[in-house]
Amino acid sequence: MNLPNVNARVAVIGAGTMGIGIAQVAARAGHQVLLFDIAATAAQRALDALGQRLRLRVASGKADAASTEALLARIHPVDALSQLADSELVIEAVAEKLPIKQSLFRELEALCSPATLFASNTSSLSITAIAGALQHPQRLAGLHFFNPAPLMKLVEIVSGLDTSAETVATLQALTQQWDKQSVLCRSTPGFIVNRVARPFYAETLRALEEQVADATTLDAVMRDAGGFAMGPLQLTDMIGQDVNYAVTESVFHAFFQDPRFTPSLVQQELVAAGRLGRKSGQGFYRYGDHPQPAATCLPASTAALPRSITLHGDPAGMTLLATLLTENAVTIKQPGQTSAFARIDEVTFMLTNGKTASQIAEETGTPVVLFDLSAHYSQASTVAISCAAQNDARHNATVVRLLQSLGKKVIQLPDYPGLLVMRTLAMLANEALDVVNKGVASAADTDRAMCCGVNYPRGPLEWAAALGWQQILTTLENLQHYYGEPRYRPMPLLRHYASLSSGAQ
């Protein structure tokens, strides 16, 4: 298979959700696809179920009948591994157990041509270890699709220690023909997405453990204020609590119990109780006939609008919200520079930096209200804030009234360091920088993977760079000091970028 083409015969082993999805992708691109599963009749049942789903789309006017039937006709269930011998690419999507995969590829190597390429759809196992079973490990790479494979654009192409450049290049060109967005990475635990994404879940799970707010409100902060497509707790319910917990536990152990990947006891308890999310009818939320609870937003404030707003400083954090304030009919005194904080009457209003509002109030001698990060302040329906214990109620009410006058709902969280979106982005960017620093993937591919694979509003590295590396470093250093845990330790590349951005020598 020196050059990818639609005449190449593709074999898919494993007729579960991922296997039949990958078969559909290859068949849609014009390949003849052989589908094999160790369980008798499983391949035919999977094809029948796919046919039923696709024909329903035709019936509803969402798909063309002729192209649908042609796609289905290109998928051929087979009942013996030996029937795959003439395939030019074999993609394995069987159980996530290393001995099973190694045994399978040993058999395939004896059956198939020396030119046949092998790919594993594993999401967690080492490609180097899988290829170690082969006499010619250079012909095997990871080809990690995301569920559902026909809809999700991202494919991680994963190189083991011996994977050849030719194998990678062929798979890259092939996935492009399949209308997929591929990213390249080395075989390390979690690859790109399942590694970098851990803090997205972990920080909200920690906030839930620490009783910062209920699940609905925490999800609303991440979604409606932060700009993510779904809240982390919603998403784990959709993925399956057992699946998401197993990935976290796998990455945790693969990195020798590094505290930054520590699994959540709250999630472990859900799994133990069989509350696996949508598929079991209950997880963090209840499904079926149960209405979903609403997030806890503050009622409309009756306080007067502030008399003045003064902007101070320079970093990017306040600039975004300053733009929003300036675009609205609010009287603003601005001393000639963009701002690191605003003075709303006597209240200091600033982006969270990993300290509590009460800590900053003690340092500044002023009332303090902190706001959380957003990917797009102007588009966000909601702003999340926290207030210092030293504030009078009127101080908080003035800020809330201003935000509501700008058309924003306001969620007030307890005085929690780093709030939620900021600490999540800081941890995402920190992990992404470690991926880049250790040569697992490029910065561009890392950001692309997180946007295409898990639908983040911005790539964590691009977002952090726009916000300012010093802001990310300061947030993590403050969180590390607050908790006294290595979980929040800044990575070396973050310290380097922050020193460059600050002009330090």
Side-chain angles (χ1 to χ4, degrees), residues 64 151 192 347 442:
D64 174 71
L151 299 180
I192 301 174
V347 179
S442 69

Side-chain angles (χ1 to χ4, degrees), residues 288-434:
D289 297 331
H290 300 279
Q292 299 301 336
T296 304
C297 296
L298 293 178
S301 173
T302 58
L305 284 169
R307 299 180 300 279
S308 67
I309 301 171
T310 309
L311 307 178
H312 302 266
D314 186 36
M318 196 65 192
T319 304
L320 298 171
L321 195 59
T323 301
L324 181 63
L325 294 171
T326 306
E327 287 173 351
N328 290 270
V330 178
T331 301
I332 297 180
K333 296 179 182 177
Q334 187 167 352
Q337 53 188 337
T338 56
S339 57
F341 69 94
R343 192 83 75 200
I344 299 175
D345 291 343
E346 66 267 42
V347 179
T348 298
F349 182 61
M350 61 182 285
L351 179 65
T352 180
N353 64 0
K355 291 184 177 180
T356 65
S358 299
Q359 283 178 287
I360 298 172
E362 183 69 24
E363 293 168 0
T364 63
T366 66
V368 171
V369 174
L370 301 180
F371 65 93
D372 206 354
L373 184 64
S374 176
H376 305 287
Y377 287 100
S378 60
Q379 298 172 19
S381 65
T382 304
V383 176
I385 64 170
S386 64
C387 304
Q390 298 93 321
N391 295 6
D392 291 339
R394 63 185 177 85
H395 295 140
N396 303 343
T398 297
V399 175
V400 170
R401 175 72 174 88
L402 172 63
L403 294 173
Q404 290 176 340
S405 76
L406 300 177
K408 304 299 182 183
K409 298 176 183 177
V410 180
I411 293 176
Q412 182 176 339
L413 296 177
D415 194 11
Y416 188 59
L419 291 171
L420 196 56
V421 183
M422 173 58 84
R423 65 193 283 163
T424 299
L425 174 65
M427 289 291 279
L428 289 169
N430 199 41
E431 195 59 42
L433 285 174
D434 197 48

Side-chain angles (χ1 to χ4, degrees), residues 44-366:
Q44 185 62 57
R45 290 199 310 272
L47 180 58
D48 291 344
L50 174 63
Q52 187 175 19
R53 290 194 302 273
L54 294 184
R55 288 173 182 128
L56 282 174
R57 289 180 54 80
V58 171
S60 63
K62 296 178 181 178
D64 174 71
S67 58
T68 295
E69 294 304 322
L71 183 158
L72 292 169
R74 287 192 287 270
I75 302 176
H76 311 280
V78 297
D79 54 14
L81 199 65
S82 59
Q83 293 174 265
L84 310 182
D86 293 334
S87 303
E88 293 170 80
L89 170 65
V90 180
I91 304 173
E92 163 273 311
V94 302
E96 287 285 87
K97 295 184 184 298
L98 181 60
I100 292 175
K101 294 180 189 288
Q102 289 177 322
S103 175
L104 175 62
F105 281 114
R106 271 194 296 265
E107 287 189 67
L108 288 167
E109 190 173 39
L111 284 170
C112 297
S113 159
T116 302
L117 294 189
F118 297 142
S120 173
N121 185 57
T122 181
S123 61
S124 60
L125 297 178
S126 164
I127 296 301
T128 298
I130 295 171
L134 299 177
Q135 294 296 315
H136 302 284
Q138 67 273 11
R139 68 200 293 193
L140 186 143
L143 202 59
H144 180 213
F145 291 80
F146 288 75
N147 190 29
L151 299 180
M152 297 296 288
K153 282 285 190 183
L154 185 70
V155 178
E156 291 177 319
I157 300 176
V158 187
S159 296
L161 196 58
D162 294 309
T163 304
S164 72
E166 292 77 13
T167 296
V168 170
T170 299
L171 293 176
Q172 221 179 349
L174 190 66
T175 52
Q176 185 176 10
Q177 287 187 1
W178 291 0
D179 195 28
K180 294 297 181 183
Q181 178 67 66
S182 66
V183 293
L184 306 182
C185 62
R186 270 197 308 112
S187 182
T188 57
F191 309 143
I192 301 174
V193 172
N194 279 332
R195 173 179 174 177
V196 176
R198 291 354 289 162
F200 177 72
Y201 311 109
E203 290 307 310
T204 299
L205 286 165
R206 180 164 200 164
L208 191 67
E209 287 178 349
E210 296 184 7
Q211 302 182 74
V212 171
D214 59 38
T216 306
T217 301
L218 293 173
D219 274 341
V221 171
M222 292 294 290
R223 182 187 63 242
D224 303 333
F228 288 92
M230 294 182 72
L233 307 179
Q234 286 179 292
L235 185 54
T236 56
D237 264 5
M238 187 177 78
I239 294 168
Q241 297 300 334
D242 53 340
V243 174
N244 187 261
Y245 179 79
V247 172
T248 301
E249 193 172 38
S250 172
V251 173
F252 176 62
H253 289 299
F255 278 99
F256 308 109
Q257 293 80 48
D258 191 305
R260 69 187 196 269
F261 300 114
T262 302
S264 164
L265 291 174
V266 167
Q267 191 174 37
Q268 182 188 57
E269 188 173 33
L270 282 185
V271 173
R275 297 184 182 182
L276 306 182
R278 289 183 179 274
K279 63 186 176 183
S280 70
Q282 185 173 2
F284 287 113
Y285 299 89
R286 298 183 72 184
Y287 299 92
D289 297 331
H290 300 279
Q292 299 301 336
T296 304
C297 296
L298 293 178
S301 173
T302 58
L305 284 169
R307 299 180 300 279
S308 67
I309 301 171
T310 309
L311 307 178
H312 302 266
D314 186 36
M318 196 65 192
T319 304
L320 298 171
L321 195 59
T323 301
L324 181 63
L325 294 171
T326 306
E327 287 173 351
N328 290 270
V330 178
T331 301
I332 297 180
K333 296 179 182 177
Q334 187 167 352
Q337 53 188 337
T338 56
S339 57
F341 69 94
R343 192 83 75 200
I344 299 175
D345 291 343
E346 66 267 42
V347 179
T348 298
F349 182 61
M350 61 182 285
L351 179 65
T352 180
N353 64 0
K355 291 184 177 180
T356 65
S358 299
Q359 283 178 287
I360 298 172
E362 183 69 24
E363 293 168 0
T364 63
T366 66

